Each structure stands twice: as C-alpha cells, then as structure tokens.
Amino acid sequence: MVTPAAKREAVGHLRAVFGMGERQACRVIGADRTSMRYRSRREDDGPVREKLRELAHQRHRFGYRRLHVLLRRDGITINRKKTQRLYREEGLTVRRRRGRKRAVGARAPAPVASLPNQRWSLDFVHDQMATGRRFPGSQHRR
C-alpha cells in the first residue's frame, strides 16, 4: 500500500472486520490519522472531460496542446498540465502514423553486360545538353 487512498481503504477494512479503533488501525497500517478524514476539494471534471473527448473525436490528429487551445476558445480555462492529465486519463493519445511500406522480397540482380553498348544507364542528378543548357527538372544547380 503506497497511496493514501489505499491506506484509507485498509484502515476501513480493519475497523469493519476486526472492530479496531481508528488509532489502532492506523498504527497497524502505518498511516497518519489526519489522512483518514481527508476529503478532496477538487471539483468534478465531468463537463471538461466530456468537452475534451468531443473535441478529440472531431480532430483526430490534435494532441493535448492544441486541444487545450480549443478548450480555451470555448471558455473553459484550466491549467495546461490539467488538460494533459485529463487527456491521458481519457486515453486520447494521438494515433501513431504507420511507416512507409517497403517492397518485400529480394530484387532480381541486374543482368551482367557481356558486350559493349549492351546496357545504358542515365544519370539525371546533374546533366546538361551539348549546348550547355540544363535538362528541365534537373535538381542540381551550380
């Protein structure tokens, strides 16, 4: 048991099942007695979560930062870190793009030339005509 919520639950179990007092149950668990009566003051995030989910389904490629901006535009002012936490808790991660499909299988080896002029190759990285003009679409520039 690490979290205070888990310790609260364990103390409640000891009190209900074994009839222990709060002090004794806290001593057994090793919990602070003041944390047993703690009640969170955090307001309900339901409407914010709903709006965040709605925006995320409209804009599949948007991450939490851009959704945070959209929430602000809609009048919902919350901390960016809270937007990130809610985004993660709702499981709204952006889908990873798939990699480029590559050809499967071995390529056929190029035929070996046995005579001169049997095989010609063109190199269009940088080439020009006899007059000195460059080919249209030649990428390399001097």
Side-chain angles (χ1 to χ4, degrees), residues 1-100:
M1 289 175 291
V2 179
T3 63
K7 290 181 178 182
R8 267 193 296 278
E9 192 175 317
V11 167
H13 177 74
L14 287 177
R15 292 185 72 188
V17 174
F18 297 106
M20 289 184 178
E22 186 181 80
R23 288 179 187 208
Q24 188 180 8
C26 285
R27 201 175 309 118
V28 169
I29 298 296
D32 191 2
R33 283 184 54 222
T34 57
S35 67
M36 292 306 113
R37 294 188 186 93
Y38 173 78
R39 296 290 169 251
S40 175
R41 285 186 256 159
R42 183 186 286 172
E43 68 268 6
D44 183 34
D45 294 328
V48 178
R49 286 176 185 266
E50 190 64 39
K51 186 67 178 174
L52 187 65
R53 223 178 297 119
E54 178 186 322
L55 288 171
H57 286 296
Q58 287 174 1
R59 320 261 183 172
H60 295 288
R61 302 298 311 164
F62 280 20
Y64 75 91
R65 288 183 181 98
R66 289 173 78 181
L67 290 175
H68 178 73
V69 172
L70 294 178
L71 284 174
R72 282 257 167 110
R73 285 183 190 163
D74 288 344
I76 300 173
T77 308
I78 59 173
N79 191 334
R80 182 200 50 80
K81 289 183 274 185
K82 184 171 183 176
T83 305
Q84 183 182 9
R85 179 177 57 83
L86 295 176
Y87 182 82
R88 192 173 51 244
E89 286 175 2
E90 291 295 317
L92 299 174
T93 55
V94 175
R95 306 294 179 266
R96 302 298 294 168
R97 289 190 178 173
R98 303 181 104 197
R100 189 173 65 88

Side-chain angles (χ1 to χ4, degrees), residues 120-140:
W120 287 40
S121 298
L122 298 175
D123 181 14
F124 280 100
V125 173
H126 174 69
D127 217 342
Q128 60 188 21
M129 298 180 200
T131 60
R133 269 188 52 218
R134 299 190 189 287
F135 282 109
S138 181
Q139 298 297 319
H140 186 68

